[in-house]
Amino acid sequence: MKQLRIYISKLLIVLWCLMPLASHAGAGEDYEEANTLLLAARACLAIYSDRTGSLAYEYLEQEGWEIQPFIADGDIDDARFLIAKKEPADGGQPLYILAIAGTETLKNVKTNLTLGQVYFSGRTPEEFAANAALKHMPDTVPKVHHGFYKYVETAFQAKAATKDDSTPRLLSELLLENKDRKVYLTGHSLGGAAATLAGARLLSLGVQPEQIEVITFGAPAVGNQAFVEQFAPVLPVTRVVIQGDPVTGILQGLSGYEQFGREILWNSREVTHKGQHAMVGYLDAAIKEYYDKRHQAEQTGLLTLPVKLAAAGAPSVYVSPARNDLPKELQPEFWYMQQAIWDEYRRVLPGYRLAAAVPESVMRDQAAAQGCNLLIVPEISAHKLKTRKNTYYVTLDQTVYDTATGSILYMTSFSTSTDNLTPLGALIHNIRGTTADNGKWLIAPSD
């Protein structure tokens, strides 16, 4: 009995030691997944030509993605999608994203539901086309939504180029030629359903499951039970759903449709109420999930954010925590806005140092003591428009001081409405505009 107690005690000690390691590993994996989901959400939004889409497109390009947008006439609707490619810094295989646009409104979703199902099977494009044309197929064979299938047909005609070969080729060809290449297939709403079909088709053409990752946002079901039975065991699908999104379950109300894949359920934290299905709401949630998971990884010591080294002779910059002048209802946004500001400074201000939350006069002394030439003080504010429901103007003011004299070198202010952005999205737009003016002040003050 004594030996048994000793054995149990040792076992408990081992398990206790392993628990923090498992927790730490989980935080790291959660951060990596959140980073991937944010990338996919930005790609989904970058397809659209409105202001939010243009901003997402610009941010992807700034992060090194080469983007080829496509708009093609389809039998049902214009198919909008993009292929993005990024060459890794270590010289490895390029990474691809195929993002497919979806329909934003519930009305359009219902309209496309009248199109019925087609037989989904084949090992070549010709076989897929021939099988889809067959009529009166039984429900025991894989069948999918006709409209989604048409979207996929159009997207599969798009071609991309590699770094070593400028001749554009089909995405399926690029993946089949090199088993180390990988593609993220993503989309919002109907585009997410089409992305799932694109993954199933790539597998049918011979692409390996480890080369594919499907990520959908607010996507309805794709096909019947036979389709799910065939592809659920082999196709990696992650379905991101904001709680209350009406589109994700609308097709299950009809006979012949089932969802599959791993579901990630998010609560909407978007305060201006864009709706549970809007892609800007999904992006807002993705950004917040990313910052939450990144913070957890930092707290466990698994992640240290890099700071670029300043070039010789460049001014050293001290950055103040942002002043918070947001109204009460937007206070939950402030922490995320602060993270976004620091990220942008990290991107454009090599060698910057982050100040502690102390009075501004003390901060200038601290900056000078650490050899910093410049002090940046950002301030976030917002006011609600009386004439438009749930609409704010979010403002970011930035003041740049000469630490030696305390004089103001430069002031700038950017304001953005939340007409088609969330408050966090509006702030991110502001900080990008603010740092675009760096050339006007990012010089060492004269003695």
Side-chain angles (χ1 to χ4, degrees):
M1 182 64 68
K2 182 178 180 180
Q3 289 181 336
L4 178 60
R5 286 198 301 269
I6 294 174
Y7 173 78
I8 292 175
S9 298
K10 290 181 177 179
L11 179 61
L12 290 174
I13 291 172
V14 171
L15 292 175
W16 181 85
C17 292
L18 289 176
M19 283 177 64
L21 295 177
S23 175
H24 289 184
E29 292 170 357
D30 288 348
Y31 164 69
E32 292 296 337
E33 179 177 67
N35 191 28
T36 300
L37 295 180
L38 177 55
L39 170 64
R42 282 180 171 157
C44 286
L45 202 57
I47 307 170
Y48 299 97
S49 58
D50 59 8
R51 181 174 64 155
T52 56
S54 298
L55 293 175
Y57 192 106
E58 177 185 338
Y59 300 161
L60 286 175
E61 285 190 319
Q62 290 175 349
E63 293 169 5
W65 289 89
E66 301 173 24
I67 306 174
Q68 296 176 265
F70 297 88
I71 301 178
D73 294 333
D75 296 338
I76 300 157
D77 196 358
D78 290 345
R80 293 170 295 168
F81 51 95
L82 63 80
I83 294 178
K85 180 186 70 174
K86 187 173 185 179
E87 303 282 352
D90 60 6
Q93 290 297 324
L95 186 66
Y96 293 91
I97 300 174
L98 173 63
I100 308 174
T103 304
E104 289 284 340
T105 67
L106 191 60
K107 178 181 178 181
N108 288 338
V109 173
K110 291 180 178 178
T111 299
N112 286 335
L113 295 184
T114 63
L115 298 171
Q117 293 181 329
V118 296
Y119 179 29
F120 187 86
S121 181
R123 291 172 296 179
T124 66
E126 294 75 21
E127 284 185 11
F128 268 102
N131 287 332
L134 296 176
K135 306 294 183 182
H136 309 298
M137 297 299 294
D139 291 337
T140 54
V141 302
K143 293 197 292 186
V144 299
H145 186 275
H146 187 202
F148 304 161
Y149 175 83
K150 286 293 186 180
Y151 256 69
V152 173
E153 280 289 294
T154 305
F156 263 73
Q157 297 170 17
K159 297 183 179 182
T162 65
K163 184 177 182 180
D164 299 327
D165 184 358
S166 60
T167 303
R169 281 171 294 167
L170 296 174
L171 184 60
S172 56
E173 295 174 346
L174 295 174
L175 295 172
L176 289 169
E177 288 171 5
N178 194 318
K179 303 299 183 183
D180 291 331
R181 288 181 179 143
K182 183 173 181 177
V183 61
Y184 289 104
L185 303 165
T186 188
H188 168 241
S189 191
L190 303 187
T196 304
L197 283 188
R201 178 155 175 169
L202 286 172
L203 290 183
S204 299
L205 295 177
V207 175
Q208 299 302 306
E210 57 269 21
Q211 294 181 264
I212 301 170
E213 187 168 347
V214 180
I215 299 172
T216 69
F217 299 91
V222 174
N224 65 359
Q225 182 178 353
F227 175 82
V228 172
E229 290 175 351
Q230 179 174 337
F231 289 102
V234 292
L235 181 62
V237 175
T238 298
R239 296 186 298 106
V240 180
V241 177
I242 288 180
Q243 193 163 12
D245 187 337
V247 172
T248 59
I250 192 170
L251 277 173
Q252 282 106 295
L254 303 176
S255 175
Y257 287 94
E258 290 188 17
Q259 290 274 22
F260 73 96
R262 182 170 69 101
E263 181 182 87
I264 296 178
L265 190 62
W266 287 345
N267 291 318
S268 177
R269 293 181 281 174
E270 197 281 291
V271 295
T272 49
H273 310 296
K274 299 298 181 186
Q276 288 92 342
H277 186 61
M279 188 59 220
V280 290
Y282 274 98
L283 178 59
D284 186 86
I287 295 172
K288 290 172 179 173
E289 286 288 324
Y290 168 77
Y291 282 135
D292 286 342
K293 297 302 188 292
R294 190 178 76 176
H295 182 65
Q296 292 172 12
E298 288 181 280
Q299 293 296 103
T300 55
L302 290 174
L303 177 68
T304 300
L305 296 177
V307 176
K308 295 180 182 179
L309 296 177
S316 182
V317 181
Y318 208 57
V319 176
S320 163
R323 296 173 179 170
N324 180 1
D325 196 23
L326 291 171
K328 181 180 179 180
E329 63 271 21
L330 294 187
Q331 284 298 318
E333 303 290 303
F334 176 75
W335 184 84
Y336 300 102
M337 291 179 174
Q338 177 70 92
Q339 303 307 308
I341 291 173
W342 286 339
D343 274 357
E344 181 63 7
Y345 287 148
R346 187 177 296 111
R347 185 180 73 87
V348 302
L349 299 176
Y352 87 94
R353 300 180 186 182
L354 187 62
V358 296
E360 203 168 292
S361 58
V362 176
M363 199 178 299
R364 287 198 296 270
D365 293 339
Q366 288 182 348
Q370 295 192 36
C372 293
N373 311 101
L374 305 175
L375 169 64
I376 299 178
V377 180
E379 180 176 353
I380 307 170
S381 60
H383 69 273
K384 192 172 185 178
L385 299 183
K386 296 180 180 179
T387 56
R388 279 178 281 182
K389 185 178 180 182
N390 295 322
T391 301
Y392 294 81
Y393 262 99
V394 178
T395 300
L396 175 65
D397 296 305
Q398 177 183 266
T399 306
V400 182
Y401 294 91
D402 179 345
T403 58
T405 64
S407 61
I408 295 175
L409 294 177
Y410 193 73
M411 296 181 67
T412 186
S413 180
F414 276 82
S415 293
T416 303
S417 78
T418 60
D419 278 328
N420 51 9
L421 290 169
T422 64
L424 178 56
L427 183 280
I428 292 173
H429 178 48
N430 289 341
I431 187 60
R432 294 288 177 118
T434 298
T435 56
D437 280 347
N438 282 357
K440 299 178 181 178
W441 59 265
L442 191 53
I443 55 176
S446 59
D447 295 333

